[in-house]
Amino acid sequence: QAPVLTDAPRLNEVLRAIAMMKAEVGETIPIMGVAVGPFSLPVMQMGFSGYLDLIQDDPMHSSSCWR
């Protein structure tokens, strides 16, 4: 079942920011957004092997899901 968008405060905050940017630039500049999964971001920042090392060597600073 799809989530109710009005129940997602952070999503609504992002959508308001996009609407503000759109109001400012109109059709002159394209505005793009992306959704990144919570486990994808550290991999993009650290590389997959670096993230695996962090999970193994320093579990207190890795995601709470891996504890």
Side-chain angles (χ1 to χ4, degrees), residues 16-36:
R16 281 192 303 276
I18 291 171
M20 290 169 62
M21 287 187 280
K22 181 70 172 179
E24 185 71 26
V25 300
E27 297 294 325
T28 60
I29 300 172
I31 299 172
M32 298 173 57
V34 64
V36 177

Side-chain angles (χ1 to χ4, degrees), residues 6-58:
T6 56
D7 292 343
R10 294 295 170 239
L11 175 61
N12 285 300
E13 187 176 312
V14 170
L15 294 175
R16 281 192 303 276
I18 291 171
M20 290 169 62
M21 287 187 280
K22 181 70 172 179
E24 185 71 26
V25 300
E27 297 294 325
T28 60
I29 300 172
I31 299 172
M32 298 173 57
V34 64
V36 177
F39 292 110
S40 299
L41 186 59
V43 172
M44 288 190 288
Q45 293 175 325
M46 303 172 68
F48 194 71
S49 63
Y51 187 51
L52 290 177
D53 289 342
L54 175 66
I55 292 169
Q56 181 178 354
D57 298 337
D58 196 357

